[in-house]
Every structure is written in structure tokens, then in C-alpha cells.
Amino acid sequence: MSKGLFVSATGTDVGKTYVTALLVKKLVQSGLAAGYYKAALSGAECQNGQLVPGDADYVRRVAGLKQTYSEMVSYVYENAVSPHLAARLEQLPVELSRIKKDFYSVAAAYDYVTMEGSGGIVCPIRYDEEQQLFLADIIQTLRLPVLLVADAGLGTLNSVVTTCEYMQNHNLPLAGIILNNYDENQFMHRDNRLMIEKLTGRPPLAVVAPGCTDLALAAADLAALYREID
Ligand SMILES: Nc1ncnc2c1ncn2[C@@H]1O[C@H](COP(=O)(O)OP(=O)(O)OP(=O)(O)O)[C@@H](O)[C@H]1O
Ligand SMILES: [Mg+2]
């Protein structure tokens, strides 16, 4: 049976794609069948009249995946705004049924599915008269544990703790925390690592330095974070 993990972050541009690529690469290198999925991507670049989902393209290149863009991302928007707003501008509202169908197709083809979120944990995916769908609804529907990527620098304690509180309030299970752009020589980064453990009860599973190409987490420990997809 396939297993899945949802990668979120304390905000947009914090490093979900960068860290996801390292996770998927590690699984692939240890011989596991790993796939990637993202429900909605906004801010896609238009190349030769086609929208290219940059996140999927990056993960595919780094991890050496064979998936096509359309298998990897269900909704691709050109406007670099929250998916609910891009969907309104481009008149392409997200349907939860399509996300489920596409996610389960990836799960049928790969043993380990890493799903990247959009933005941070609070992200409206669709917000119109007909329907309101948040990222948390999708995570709950797919019943995935959440790996939280946080920046190692200033402001991270507030964003990690508020994200964890929101997750608890919405019954989203935390698989672990990864600190990105971590510099061991910066005393604030070292302190943030310790304080995150004190404030959340969870020591970061790994830290990722700028330019890191190999995640410092054993493949077996990483694989153990994924939950059976039902
Ligand atoms: N550890 C790192 N070392 C070097 N560059 C990094 C690192 N982490 C992130 N970056 C760079 O920072 C930028 C933002 O990271 P990334 O695209 O992974 O964020 P994201 O959370 O996936 O953003 P989005 O919300 O748009 O999906 C990218 O250009 C990425 O290459
Ligand atoms: Mg991304």
C-alpha cells in the first residue's frame, strides 16, 4: 500500500520545494518508488504558450523523476497570488474531487507520495459563492501527516508555534519540523533549533544548510514519516 506525506511551511517561499526535492531524492536514491504531487500552483511561467509548474519541474530535475507536469500538479495558474484568487482571475476553480482523483493516481503509481502544499498552512484554495475550500480540508480529506518546513532565522519561533497551534486546532498531525537555511555558525539559528523543541516538544528532524544537496536524515527514518494512504 502506498504512503503519503504532506509538506507545508511557515509561509510562502520558505523552502517547501527545495526541501521536498531533497526528500524525494533521498527516497529515490534508497531504491524506493517515489512520486510528487501538488494540488494548486500559482505564479507559473508561460513558456512557448504553456504554463510550466516551476515547483514540479524543480523536484523532477533534482530527484530525477519521470512524472509529467500534469501528473504532478492538478491546477496551474499564471497569476502569482493565492490559489483562490488566481482561480477567480483565471476562472478555473479547484474541485476537491479532481484533487482526490489526481492524488490517488500518483499513489497508484508510486509507493511514497510527497505532496507539497501551497503557501503556508492557512491557504484558501477556493473561496467563492459556491464553495470554500482550505488547504487544511485537503490535508484532512487525504489524511496525511504534515512535515513543517521553517526558516532557521529571525521570526521563526512565532511562525512555528502559531502554525503548530493552528494544526492542532484543525486536527492536522505533525510529522516533524525541518529547519531550512540553517547556519550552524549563527548562534540565533542554534538557539532557534533548541527553542523550537522547548516550545513545541518536537526537536527538528533535520536542518538544511543553504545550498544543501543531501538531506541529513536516514532514508529509513524519512520513510517512517509517511502514512498509509487509505
Ligand atoms: N536551503 C536552501 N539553499 C539554497 N536555496 C534555497 C534553500 N531553500 C530555499 N531556497 C531557494 O529559495 C527560494 C524559495 O524556496 P522554495 O521555492 O523551495 O519555497 P516554497 O516554500 O516552495 O515556495 P512556494 O510557496 O512558492 O511553493 C527558491 O529560489 C529556492 O531555490
Ligand atoms: Mg514551492
Side-chain angles (χ1 to χ4, degrees), residues 17 38 55 116:
T17 304
K38 176 156 175 149
D55 290 5
E116 178 181 346

Side-chain angles (χ1 to χ4, degrees), residues 130-230:
E130 211 178 298
Q131 232 184 88
Q132 295 173 2
L133 181 69
F134 284 79
L135 196 65
D137 301 318
I138 297 172
I139 302 171
Q140 279 166 351
T141 300
L142 302 176
R143 293 167 43 83
L144 296 174
V146 179
L147 180 75
L148 180 63
V149 178
D151 187 73
L154 190 61
T156 202
L157 297 179
N158 172 61
S159 12
V160 166
V161 173
T162 49
T163 298
C164 289
E165 296 264 341
Y166 179 89
M167 286 177 56
Q168 273 170 14
N169 285 336
H170 289 79
N171 291 317
L172 304 175
L174 177 68
I177 300 166
I178 288 189
L179 270 189
N180 191 28
N181 278 311
Y182 182 86
D183 179 355
E184 183 65 31
N185 295 316
Q186 292 209 32
F187 78 97
M188 183 181 58
H189 289 196
R190 296 197 303 271
D191 186 65
N192 280 341
R193 188 180 190 171
L194 292 172
M195 286 304 285
I196 282 174
E197 175 172 2
K198 289 195 191 303
L199 300 181
T200 67
R202 304 289 288 267
L205 295 167
V207 294
V208 172
C212 169
T213 55
D214 181 32
L215 185 73
L217 186 62
D221 294 340
L222 171 59
L225 301 175
Y226 289 66
R227 180 189 177 280
E228 284 198 358
I229 295 167
D230 44 26

